[in-house]
PDB file of all heavy atoms in Angstrom:
ATOM      1  N   ILE A   1      27.477  -3.048 -11.994  1.00  0.00           N
ATOM      2  CA  ILE A   1      28.838  -2.982 -11.452  1.00  0.00           C
ATOM      3  C   ILE A   1      29.842  -3.294 -12.557  1.00  0.00           C
ATOM      4  O   ILE A   1      30.869  -2.628 -12.685  1.00  0.00           O
ATOM      5  CB  ILE A   1      28.999  -3.954 -10.267  1.00  0.00           C
ATOM      6  CG1 ILE A   1      28.091  -3.546  -9.112  1.00  0.00           C
ATOM      7  CG2 ILE A   1      30.448  -4.007  -9.810  1.00  0.00           C
ATOM      8  CD1 ILE A   1      28.039  -4.540  -7.971  1.00  0.00           C
ATOM      9  N   LEU A   2      29.539  -4.292 -13.382  1.00  0.00           N
ATOM     10  CA  LEU A   2      30.445  -4.672 -14.465  1.00  0.00           C
ATOM     11  C   LEU A   2      30.589  -3.541 -15.484  1.00  0.00           C
ATOM     12  O   LEU A   2      31.697  -3.177 -15.864  1.00  0.00           O
ATOM     13  CB  LEU A   2      29.964  -5.944 -15.159  1.00  0.00           C
ATOM     14  CG  LEU A   2      30.813  -6.438 -16.319  1.00  0.00           C
ATOM     15  CD1 LEU A   2      32.205  -6.826 -15.832  1.00  0.00           C
ATOM     16  CD2 LEU A   2      30.152  -7.609 -17.012  1.00  0.00           C
ATOM     17  N   PHE A   3      29.483  -2.962 -15.914  1.00  0.00           N
ATOM     18  CA  PHE A   3      29.549  -1.899 -16.919  1.00  0.00           C
ATOM     19  C   PHE A   3      30.180  -0.623 -16.370  1.00  0.00           C
ATOM     20  O   PHE A   3      30.745   0.160 -17.125  1.00  0.00           O
ATOM     21  CB  PHE A   3      28.179  -1.614 -17.513  1.00  0.00           C
ATOM     22  CG  PHE A   3      27.680  -2.716 -18.402  1.00  0.00           C
ATOM     23  CD1 PHE A   3      26.394  -3.199 -18.265  1.00  0.00           C
ATOM     24  CD2 PHE A   3      28.494  -3.275 -19.365  1.00  0.00           C
ATOM     25  CE1 PHE A   3      25.927  -4.221 -19.077  1.00  0.00           C
ATOM     26  CE2 PHE A   3      28.048  -4.295 -20.181  1.00  0.00           C
ATOM     27  CZ  PHE A   3      26.760  -4.771 -20.043  1.00  0.00           C
ATOM     28  N   SER A   4      30.103  -0.414 -15.063  1.00  0.00           N
ATOM     29  CA  SER A   4      30.730   0.772 -14.483  1.00  0.00           C
ATOM     30  C   SER A   4      32.256   0.697 -14.559  1.00  0.00           C
ATOM     31  O   SER A   4      32.926   1.725 -14.458  1.00  0.00           O
ATOM     32  CB  SER A   4      30.283   0.967 -13.038  1.00  0.00           C
ATOM     33  OG  SER A   4      30.871  -0.011 -12.192  1.00  0.00           O
ATOM     34  N   GLN A   5      32.797  -0.487 -14.758  1.00  0.00           N
ATOM     35  CA  GLN A   5      34.248  -0.643 -14.876  1.00  0.00           C
ATOM     36  C   GLN A   5      34.782  -0.044 -16.176  1.00  0.00           C
ATOM     37  O   GLN A   5      35.977   0.216 -16.289  1.00  0.00           O
ATOM     38  CB  GLN A   5      34.641  -2.122 -14.797  1.00  0.00           C
ATOM     39  CG  GLN A   5      34.221  -2.809 -13.532  1.00  0.00           C
ATOM     40  CD  GLN A   5      34.760  -2.157 -12.286  1.00  0.00           C
ATOM     41  OE1 GLN A   5      35.937  -1.829 -12.215  1.00  0.00           O
ATOM     42  NE2 GLN A   5      33.898  -1.943 -11.311  1.00  0.00           N
ATOM     43  N   PHE A   6      33.923   0.168 -17.149  1.00  0.00           N
ATOM     44  CA  PHE A   6      34.341   0.682 -18.451  1.00  0.00           C
ATOM     45  C   PHE A   6      34.146   2.187 -18.594  1.00  0.00           C
ATOM     46  O   PHE A   6      34.226   2.723 -19.688  1.00  0.00           O
ATOM     47  CB  PHE A   6      33.580  -0.046 -19.572  1.00  0.00           C
ATOM     48  CG  PHE A   6      33.899  -1.515 -19.632  1.00  0.00           C
ATOM     49  CD1 PHE A   6      33.044  -2.434 -19.070  1.00  0.00           C
ATOM     50  CD2 PHE A   6      35.054  -1.955 -20.239  1.00  0.00           C
ATOM     51  CE1 PHE A   6      33.339  -3.789 -19.113  1.00  0.00           C
ATOM     52  CE2 PHE A   6      35.365  -3.300 -20.295  1.00  0.00           C
ATOM     53  CZ  PHE A   6      34.501  -4.214 -19.728  1.00  0.00           C
ATOM     54  N   ARG A   7      33.893   2.884 -17.487  1.00  0.00           N
ATOM     55  CA  ARG A   7      33.630   4.319 -17.548  1.00  0.00           C
ATOM     56  C   ARG A   7      34.834   5.166 -17.167  1.00  0.00           C
ATOM     57  O   ARG A   7      34.718   6.364 -16.983  1.00  0.00           O
ATOM     58  CB  ARG A   7      32.457   4.658 -16.639  1.00  0.00           C
ATOM     59  CG  ARG A   7      31.170   4.066 -17.165  1.00  0.00           C
ATOM     60  CD  ARG A   7      29.971   4.330 -16.309  1.00  0.00           C
ATOM     61  NE  ARG A   7      30.030   5.587 -15.600  1.00  0.00           N
ATOM     62  CZ  ARG A   7      29.237   5.893 -14.609  1.00  0.00           C
ATOM     63  NH1 ARG A   7      28.340   5.049 -14.205  1.00  0.00           N
ATOM     64  NH2 ARG A   7      29.349   7.056 -13.999  1.00  0.00           N
ATOM     65  N   SER A   8      35.993   4.573 -17.079  1.00  0.00           N
ATOM     66  CA  SER A   8      37.205   5.286 -16.702  1.00  0.00           C
ATOM     67  C   SER A   8      37.846   5.939 -17.930  1.00  0.00           C
ATOM     68  O   SER A   8      37.776   5.413 -19.043  1.00  0.00           O
ATOM     69  CB  SER A   8      38.188   4.304 -16.065  1.00  0.00           C
ATOM     70  OG  SER A   8      39.472   4.849 -15.969  1.00  0.00           O
ATOM     71  N   SER A   9      38.499   7.063 -17.720  1.00  0.00           N
ATOM     72  CA  SER A   9      39.177   7.727 -18.831  1.00  0.00           C
ATOM     73  C   SER A   9      40.354   6.889 -19.331  1.00  0.00           C
ATOM     74  O   SER A   9      40.671   6.916 -20.525  1.00  0.00           O
ATOM     75  CB  SER A   9      39.640   9.124 -18.417  1.00  0.00           C
ATOM     76  OG  SER A   9      40.520   9.034 -17.315  1.00  0.00           O
ATOM     77  N   LEU A  10      40.995   6.140 -18.456  1.00  0.00           N
ATOM     78  CA  LEU A  10      42.082   5.255 -18.878  1.00  0.00           C
ATOM     79  C   LEU A  10      41.550   4.160 -19.804  1.00  0.00           C
ATOM     80  O   LEU A  10      42.197   3.813 -20.799  1.00  0.00           O
ATOM     81  CB  LEU A  10      42.773   4.631 -17.667  1.00  0.00           C
ATOM     82  CG  LEU A  10      43.878   3.631 -17.963  1.00  0.00           C
ATOM     83  CD1 LEU A  10      45.020   4.320 -18.702  1.00  0.00           C
ATOM     84  CD2 LEU A  10      44.378   2.995 -16.697  1.00  0.00           C
ATOM     85  N   ILE A  11      40.372   3.643 -19.513  1.00  0.00           N
ATOM     86  CA  ILE A  11      39.778   2.613 -20.366  1.00  0.00           C
ATOM     87  C   ILE A  11      39.457   3.199 -21.733  1.00  0.00           C
ATOM     88  O   ILE A  11      39.689   2.555 -22.761  1.00  0.00           O
ATOM     89  CB  ILE A  11      38.519   2.009 -19.703  1.00  0.00           C
ATOM     90  CG1 ILE A  11      38.905   1.301 -18.401  1.00  0.00           C
ATOM     91  CG2 ILE A  11      37.813   1.068 -20.640  1.00  0.00           C
ATOM     92  CD1 ILE A  11      39.865   0.146 -18.570  1.00  0.00           C
ATOM     93  N   PHE A  12      38.929   4.431 -21.776  1.00  0.00           N
ATOM     94  CA  PHE A  12      38.661   5.073 -23.066  1.00  0.00           C
ATOM     95  C   PHE A  12      39.944   5.246 -23.870  1.00  0.00           C
ATOM     96  O   PHE A  12      39.968   5.016 -25.073  1.00  0.00           O
ATOM     97  CB  PHE A  12      37.983   6.429 -22.875  1.00  0.00           C
ATOM     98  CG  PHE A  12      36.545   6.338 -22.460  1.00  0.00           C
ATOM     99  CD1 PHE A  12      36.063   7.124 -21.434  1.00  0.00           C
ATOM    100  CD2 PHE A  12      35.666   5.461 -23.085  1.00  0.00           C
ATOM    101  CE1 PHE A  12      34.735   7.041 -21.045  1.00  0.00           C
ATOM    102  CE2 PHE A  12      34.349   5.379 -22.710  1.00  0.00           C
ATOM    103  CZ  PHE A  12      33.881   6.162 -21.685  1.00  0.00           C
ATOM    104  N   LEU A  13      41.019   5.630 -23.191  1.00  0.00           N
ATOM    105  CA  LEU A  13      42.306   5.783 -23.861  1.00  0.00           C
ATOM    106  C   LEU A  13      42.800   4.442 -24.409  1.00  0.00           C
ATOM    107  O   LEU A  13      43.290   4.359 -25.542  1.00  0.00           O
ATOM    108  CB  LEU A  13      43.328   6.382 -22.896  1.00  0.00           C
ATOM    109  CG  LEU A  13      44.710   6.671 -23.449  1.00  0.00           C
ATOM    110  CD1 LEU A  13      44.616   7.737 -24.533  1.00  0.00           C
ATOM    111  CD2 LEU A  13      45.625   7.119 -22.334  1.00  0.00           C
ATOM    112  N   LEU A  14      42.653   3.383 -23.624  1.00  0.00           N
ATOM    113  CA  LEU A  14      43.062   2.059 -24.093  1.00  0.00           C
ATOM    114  C   LEU A  14      42.192   1.577 -25.252  1.00  0.00           C
ATOM    115  O   LEU A  14      42.685   0.920 -26.179  1.00  0.00           O
ATOM    116  CB  LEU A  14      43.018   1.051 -22.945  1.00  0.00           C
ATOM    117  CG  LEU A  14      44.152   1.146 -21.932  1.00  0.00           C
ATOM    118  CD1 LEU A  14      43.884   0.240 -20.743  1.00  0.00           C
ATOM    119  CD2 LEU A  14      45.470   0.798 -22.579  1.00  0.00           C
ATOM    120  N   LEU A  15      40.901   1.888 -25.228  1.00  0.00           N
ATOM    121  CA  LEU A  15      40.026   1.516 -26.349  1.00  0.00           C
ATOM    122  C   LEU A  15      40.431   2.232 -27.633  1.00  0.00           C
ATOM    123  O   LEU A  15      40.431   1.630 -28.716  1.00  0.00           O
ATOM    124  CB  LEU A  15      38.566   1.821 -26.007  1.00  0.00           C
ATOM    125  CG  LEU A  15      37.896   0.861 -25.032  1.00  0.00           C
ATOM    126  CD1 LEU A  15      36.530   1.401 -24.610  1.00  0.00           C
ATOM    127  CD2 LEU A  15      37.756  -0.517 -25.647  1.00  0.00           C
ATOM    128  N   ILE A  16      40.791   3.507 -27.511  1.00  0.00           N
ATOM    129  CA  ILE A  16      41.261   4.252 -28.685  1.00  0.00           C
ATOM    130  C   ILE A  16      42.562   3.654 -29.201  1.00  0.00           C
ATOM    131  O   ILE A  16      42.743   3.492 -30.412  1.00  0.00           O
ATOM    132  CB  ILE A  16      41.411   5.750 -28.344  1.00  0.00           C
ATOM    133  CG1 ILE A  16      40.044   6.373 -28.109  1.00  0.00           C
ATOM    134  CG2 ILE A  16      42.160   6.499 -29.431  1.00  0.00           C
ATOM    135  CD1 ILE A  16      40.083   7.764 -27.523  1.00  0.00           C
ATOM    136  N   ALA A  17      43.460   3.295 -28.279  1.00  0.00           N
ATOM    137  CA  ALA A  17      44.718   2.671 -28.691  1.00  0.00           C
ATOM    138  C   ALA A  17      44.461   1.331 -29.368  1.00  0.00           C
ATOM    139  O   ALA A  17      45.101   1.005 -30.380  1.00  0.00           O
ATOM    140  CB  ALA A  17      45.625   2.487 -27.482  1.00  0.00           C
ATOM    141  N   MET A  18      43.520   0.564 -28.838  1.00  0.00           N
ATOM    142  CA  MET A  18      43.193  -0.725 -29.434  1.00  0.00           C
ATOM    143  C   MET A  18      42.626  -0.542 -30.843  1.00  0.00           C
ATOM    144  O   MET A  18      43.038  -1.232 -31.784  1.00  0.00           O
ATOM    145  CB  MET A  18      42.184  -1.484 -28.574  1.00  0.00           C
ATOM    146  CG  MET A  18      41.820  -2.849 -29.133  1.00  0.00           C
ATOM    147  SD  MET A  18      40.395  -3.587 -28.345  1.00  0.00           S
ATOM    148  CE  MET A  18      39.087  -2.553 -28.947  1.00  0.00           C
ATOM    149  N   LEU A  19      41.696   0.389 -31.003  1.00  0.00           N
ATOM    150  CA  LEU A  19      41.115   0.642 -32.319  1.00  0.00           C
ATOM    151  C   LEU A  19      42.163   1.125 -33.315  1.00  0.00           C
ATOM    152  O   LEU A  19      42.163   0.718 -34.477  1.00  0.00           O
ATOM    153  CB  LEU A  19      39.972   1.648 -32.209  1.00  0.00           C
ATOM    154  CG  LEU A  19      38.710   1.133 -31.527  1.00  0.00           C
ATOM    155  CD1 LEU A  19      37.717   2.279 -31.340  1.00  0.00           C
ATOM    156  CD2 LEU A  19      38.096   0.006 -32.316  1.00  0.00           C
ATOM    157  N   THR A  20      43.067   1.970 -32.824  1.00  0.00           N
ATOM    158  CA  THR A  20      44.128   2.478 -33.699  1.00  0.00           C
ATOM    159  C   THR A  20      45.031   1.339 -34.167  1.00  0.00           C
ATOM    160  O   THR A  20      45.364   1.259 -35.354  1.00  0.00           O
ATOM    161  CB  THR A  20      44.958   3.551 -32.963  1.00  0.00           C
ATOM    162  OG1 THR A  20      44.081   4.580 -32.522  1.00  0.00           O
ATOM    163  CG2 THR A  20      46.027   4.122 -33.865  1.00  0.00           C
ATOM    164  N   THR A  21      45.419   0.464 -33.262  1.00  0.00           N
ATOM    165  CA  THR A  21      46.290  -0.644 -33.659  1.00  0.00           C
ATOM    166  C   THR A  21      45.571  -1.614 -34.584  1.00  0.00           C
ATOM    167  O   THR A  21      46.185  -2.171 -35.494  1.00  0.00           O
ATOM    168  CB  THR A  21      46.839  -1.402 -32.443  1.00  0.00           C
ATOM    169  OG1 THR A  21      45.755  -1.876 -31.649  1.00  0.00           O
ATOM    170  CG2 THR A  21      47.758  -0.529 -31.612  1.00  0.00           C
ATOM    171  N   LEU A  22      44.274  -1.801 -34.386  1.00  0.00           N
ATOM    172  CA  LEU A  22      43.529  -2.687 -35.282  1.00  0.00           C
ATOM    173  C   LEU A  22      43.394  -2.059 -36.672  1.00  0.00           C
ATOM    174  O   LEU A  22      43.490  -2.764 -37.685  1.00  0.00           O
ATOM    175  CB  LEU A  22      42.152  -3.005 -34.696  1.00  0.00           C
ATOM    176  CG  LEU A  22      42.151  -3.906 -33.462  1.00  0.00           C
ATOM    177  CD1 LEU A  22      40.734  -4.071 -32.931  1.00  0.00           C
ATOM    178  CD2 LEU A  22      42.762  -5.262 -33.766  1.00  0.00           C
ATOM    179  N   ILE A  23      43.180  -0.740 -36.745  1.00  0.00           N
ATOM    180  CA  ILE A  23      43.066  -0.060 -38.032  1.00  0.00           C
ATOM    181  C   ILE A  23      44.397  -0.121 -38.782  1.00  0.00           C
ATOM    182  O   ILE A  23      44.428  -0.333 -39.995  1.00  0.00           O
ATOM    183  CB  ILE A  23      42.595   1.395 -37.829  1.00  0.00           C
ATOM    184  CG1 ILE A  23      41.136   1.410 -37.406  1.00  0.00           C
ATOM    185  CG2 ILE A  23      42.793   2.218 -39.096  1.00  0.00           C
ATOM    186  CD1 ILE A  23      40.622   2.762 -36.953  1.00  0.00           C
ATOM    187  N   VAL A  24      45.489   0.039 -38.044  1.00  0.00           N
ATOM    188  CA  VAL A  24      46.813  -0.009 -38.658  1.00  0.00           C
ATOM    189  C   VAL A  24      47.128  -1.423 -39.138  1.00  0.00           C
ATOM    190  O   VAL A  24      47.893  -1.607 -40.079  1.00  0.00           O
ATOM    191  CB  VAL A  24      47.874   0.503 -37.653  1.00  0.00           C
ATOM    192  CG1 VAL A  24      49.280   0.234 -38.131  1.00  0.00           C
ATOM    193  CG2 VAL A  24      47.681   1.978 -37.388  1.00  0.00           C
ATOM    194  N   GLY A  25      46.522  -2.402 -38.518  1.00  0.00           N
ATOM    195  CA  GLY A  25      46.729  -3.782 -38.940  1.00  0.00           C
ATOM    196  C   GLY A  25      47.562  -4.606 -37.983  1.00  0.00           C
ATOM    197  O   GLY A  25      47.906  -5.742 -38.282  1.00  0.00           O
ATOM    198  N   ASP A  26      47.885  -4.059 -36.829  1.00  0.00           N
ATOM    199  CA  ASP A  26      48.659  -4.797 -35.840  1.00  0.00           C
ATOM    200  C   ASP A  26      47.688  -5.508 -34.896  1.00  0.00           C
ATOM    201  O   ASP A  26      47.423  -5.069 -33.787  1.00  0.00           O
ATOM    202  CB  ASP A  26      49.567  -3.840 -35.078  1.00  0.00           C
ATOM    203  CG  ASP A  26      50.659  -4.552 -34.311  1.00  0.00           C
ATOM    204  OD1 ASP A  26      50.679  -5.793 -34.313  1.00  0.00           O
ATOM    205  OD2 ASP A  26      51.493  -3.854 -33.707  1.00  0.00           O
ATOM    206  N   PHE A  27      47.165  -6.631 -35.367  1.00  0.00           N
ATOM    207  CA  PHE A  27      46.101  -7.334 -34.650  1.00  0.00           C
ATOM    208  C   PHE A  27      46.574  -7.921 -33.324  1.00  0.00           C
ATOM    209  O   PHE A  27      45.817  -7.973 -32.360  1.00  0.00           O
ATOM    210  CB  PHE A  27      45.493  -8.416 -35.530  1.00  0.00           C
ATOM    211  CG  PHE A  27      44.815  -7.854 -36.746  1.00  0.00           C
ATOM    212  CD1 PHE A  27      45.367  -8.007 -38.006  1.00  0.00           C
ATOM    213  CD2 PHE A  27      43.629  -7.145 -36.628  1.00  0.00           C
ATOM    214  CE1 PHE A  27      44.753  -7.474 -39.115  1.00  0.00           C
ATOM    215  CE2 PHE A  27      43.004  -6.605 -37.724  1.00  0.00           C
ATOM    216  CZ  PHE A  27      43.568  -6.764 -38.983  1.00  0.00           C
ATOM    217  N   ARG A  28      47.820  -8.365 -33.279  1.00  0.00           N
ATOM    218  CA  ARG A  28      48.330  -8.963 -32.040  1.00  0.00           C
ATOM    219  C   ARG A  28      48.336  -7.941 -30.903  1.00  0.00           C
ATOM    220  O   ARG A  28      47.878  -8.233 -29.793  1.00  0.00           O
ATOM    221  CB  ARG A  28      49.731  -9.515 -32.264  1.00  0.00           C
ATOM    222  CG  ARG A  28      50.218 -10.338 -31.083  1.00  0.00           C
ATOM    223  CD  ARG A  28      51.593 -10.852 -31.320  1.00  0.00           C
ATOM    224  NE  ARG A  28      52.491  -9.725 -31.061  1.00  0.00           N
ATOM    225  CZ  ARG A  28      53.787  -9.773 -31.154  1.00  0.00           C
ATOM    226  NH1 ARG A  28      54.367 -10.867 -31.567  1.00  0.00           N
ATOM    227  NH2 ARG A  28      54.527  -8.727 -30.881  1.00  0.00           N
ATOM    228  N   ASP A  29      48.846  -6.746 -31.168  1.00  0.00           N
ATOM    229  CA  ASP A  29      48.848  -5.708 -30.133  1.00  0.00           C
ATOM    230  C   ASP A  29      47.428  -5.293 -29.751  1.00  0.00           C
ATOM    231  O   ASP A  29      47.146  -5.022 -28.587  1.00  0.00           O
ATOM    232  CB  ASP A  29      49.639  -4.485 -30.595  1.00  0.00           C
ATOM    233  CG  ASP A  29      51.137  -4.716 -30.559  1.00  0.00           C
ATOM    234  OD1 ASP A  29      51.573  -5.708 -29.939  1.00  0.00           O
ATOM    235  OD2 ASP A  29      51.871  -3.913 -31.172  1.00  0.00           O
ATOM    236  N   GLY A  30      46.529  -5.240 -30.727  1.00  0.00           N
ATOM    237  CA  GLY A  30      45.132  -4.916 -30.434  1.00  0.00           C
ATOM    238  C   GLY A  30      44.486  -5.923 -29.517  1.00  0.00           C
ATOM    239  O   GLY A  30      43.754  -5.571 -28.594  1.00  0.00           O
ATOM    240  N   VAL A  31      44.796  -7.194 -29.731  1.00  0.00           N
ATOM    241  CA  VAL A  31      44.248  -8.255 -28.876  1.00  0.00           C
ATOM    242  C   VAL A  31      44.846  -8.167 -27.470  1.00  0.00           C
ATOM    243  O   VAL A  31      44.146  -8.352 -26.474  1.00  0.00           O
ATOM    244  CB  VAL A  31      44.495  -9.646 -29.505  1.00  0.00           C
ATOM    245  CG1 VAL A  31      44.172 -10.760 -28.528  1.00  0.00           C
ATOM    246  CG2 VAL A  31      43.672  -9.796 -30.779  1.00  0.00           C
ATOM    247  N   PHE A  32      46.129  -7.846 -27.372  1.00  0.00           N
ATOM    248  CA  PHE A  32      46.750  -7.697 -26.056  1.00  0.00           C
ATOM    249  C   PHE A  32      46.155  -6.516 -25.293  1.00  0.00           C
ATOM    250  O   PHE A  32      45.927  -6.596 -24.078  1.00  0.00           O
ATOM    251  CB  PHE A  32      48.258  -7.525 -26.172  1.00  0.00           C
ATOM    252  CG  PHE A  32      48.987  -8.818 -26.411  1.00  0.00           C
ATOM    253  CD1 PHE A  32      49.891  -8.924 -27.451  1.00  0.00           C
ATOM    254  CD2 PHE A  32      48.764  -9.924 -25.612  1.00  0.00           C
ATOM    255  CE1 PHE A  32      50.570 -10.113 -27.675  1.00  0.00           C
ATOM    256  CE2 PHE A  32      49.434 -11.116 -25.830  1.00  0.00           C
ATOM    257  CZ  PHE A  32      50.341 -11.215 -26.862  1.00  0.00           C
ATOM    258  N   ILE A  33      45.901  -5.422 -25.988  1.00  0.00           N
ATOM    259  CA  ILE A  33      45.279  -4.264 -25.331  1.00  0.00           C
ATOM    260  C   ILE A  33      43.870  -4.620 -24.876  1.00  0.00           C
ATOM    261  O   ILE A  33      43.463  -4.284 -23.762  1.00  0.00           O
ATOM    262  CB  ILE A  33      45.283  -3.033 -26.260  1.00  0.00           C
ATOM    263  CG1 ILE A  33      46.716  -2.565 -26.523  1.00  0.00           C
ATOM    264  CG2 ILE A  33      44.457  -1.896 -25.655  1.00  0.00           C
ATOM    265  CD1 ILE A  33      46.826  -1.494 -27.586  1.00  0.00           C
ATOM    266  N   LEU A  34      43.123  -5.329 -25.718  1.00  0.00           N
ATOM    267  CA  LEU A  34      41.782  -5.778 -25.328  1.00  0.00           C
ATOM    268  C   LEU A  34      41.854  -6.690 -24.108  1.00  0.00           C
ATOM    269  O   LEU A  34      41.028  -6.588 -23.197  1.00  0.00           O
ATOM    270  CB  LEU A  34      41.097  -6.491 -26.491  1.00  0.00           C
ATOM    271  CG  LEU A  34      39.713  -7.053 -26.209  1.00  0.00           C
ATOM    272  CD1 LEU A  34      38.737  -5.942 -25.842  1.00  0.00           C
ATOM    273  CD2 LEU A  34      39.205  -7.850 -27.402  1.00  0.00           C
ATOM    274  N   GLY A  35      42.842  -7.568 -24.080  1.00  0.00           N
ATOM    275  CA  GLY A  35      43.023  -8.444 -22.918  1.00  0.00           C
ATOM    276  C   GLY A  35      43.294  -7.650 -21.653  1.00  0.00           C
ATOM    277  O   GLY A  35      42.759  -7.965 -20.586  1.00  0.00           O
ATOM    278  N   ALA A  36      44.117  -6.604 -21.757  1.00  0.00           N
ATOM    279  CA  ALA A  36      44.398  -5.756 -20.591  1.00  0.00           C
ATOM    280  C   ALA A  36      43.137  -5.052 -20.112  1.00  0.00           C
ATOM    281  O   ALA A  36      42.891  -4.948 -18.901  1.00  0.00           O
ATOM    282  CB  ALA A  36      45.480  -4.735 -20.936  1.00  0.00           C
ATOM    283  N   ILE A  37      42.318  -4.594 -21.049  1.00  0.00           N
ATOM    284  CA  ILE A  37      41.061  -3.930 -20.692  1.00  0.00           C
ATOM    285  C   ILE A  37      40.140  -4.905 -19.960  1.00  0.00           C
ATOM    286  O   ILE A  37      39.557  -4.578 -18.920  1.00  0.00           O
ATOM    287  CB  ILE A  37      40.370  -3.359 -21.945  1.00  0.00           C
ATOM    288  CG1 ILE A  37      41.171  -2.204 -22.523  1.00  0.00           C
ATOM    289  CG2 ILE A  37      38.946  -2.916 -21.627  1.00  0.00           C
ATOM    290  CD1 ILE A  37      40.696  -1.740 -23.888  1.00  0.00           C
ATOM    291  N   LEU A  38      40.012  -6.116 -20.489  1.00  0.00           N
ATOM    292  CA  LEU A  38      39.117  -7.104 -19.877  1.00  0.00           C
ATOM    293  C   LEU A  38      39.617  -7.571 -18.518  1.00  0.00           C
ATOM    294  O   LEU A  38      38.823  -7.732 -17.579  1.00  0.00           O
ATOM    295  CB  LEU A  38      38.931  -8.289 -20.823  1.00  0.00           C
ATOM    296  CG  LEU A  38      38.188  -7.978 -22.120  1.00  0.00           C
ATOM    297  CD1 LEU A  38      38.138  -9.215 -23.015  1.00  0.00           C
ATOM    298  CD2 LEU A  38      36.789  -7.454 -21.828  1.00  0.00           C
ATOM    299  N   ILE A  39      40.927  -7.783 -18.387  1.00  0.00           N
ATOM    300  CA  ILE A  39      41.475  -8.194 -17.089  1.00  0.00           C
ATOM    301  C   ILE A  39      41.253  -7.100 -16.056  1.00  0.00           C
ATOM    302  O   ILE A  39      40.848  -7.372 -14.918  1.00  0.00           O
ATOM    303  CB  ILE A  39      42.968  -8.547 -17.230  1.00  0.00           C
ATOM    304  CG1 ILE A  39      43.118  -9.873 -17.982  1.00  0.00           C
ATOM    305  CG2 ILE A  39      43.648  -8.637 -15.865  1.00  0.00           C
ATOM    306  CD1 ILE A  39      44.544 -10.207 -18.372  1.00  0.00           C
ATOM    307  N   ASN A  40      41.494  -5.860 -16.440  1.00  0.00           N
ATOM    308  CA  ASN A  40      41.260  -4.737 -15.534  1.00  0.00           C
ATOM    309  C   ASN A  40      39.793  -4.669 -15.109  1.00  0.00           C
ATOM    310  O   ASN A  40      39.487  -4.460 -13.935  1.00  0.00           O
ATOM    311  CB  ASN A  40      41.676  -3.430 -16.212  1.00  0.00           C
ATOM    312  CG  ASN A  40      41.419  -2.231 -15.337  1.00  0.00           C
ATOM    313  OD1 ASN A  40      41.830  -2.199 -14.197  1.00  0.00           O
ATOM    314  ND2 ASN A  40      40.718  -1.254 -15.883  1.00  0.00           N
TER     315      ASN A  40
END
């Protein structure tokens, strides 16, 4: 049930956004996006 929560297309989009912000170097925004993913 827990792993099925990560199969949404919105979650994939947020993961890509998180990775992009981490690659760019904006760690604070990456952590906030990760927090939103985990809370969801």
Side-chain angles (χ1 to χ4, degrees):
I1 296 172
L2 179 63
F3 289 133
S4 72
Q5 301 303 314
F6 296 100
R7 293 179 31 194
S8 166
S9 59
L10 177 63
I11 297 299
F12 286 134
L13 183 64
L14 285 172
L15 285 171
I16 292 169
M18 181 193 70
L19 289 173
T20 304
T21 57
L22 290 176
I23 289 170
V24 169
D26 196 357
F27 296 108
R28 189 181 78 180
D29 285 346
V31 169
F32 281 129
I33 294 171
L34 178 62
I37 292 170
L38 294 177
I39 288 171
N40 178 52

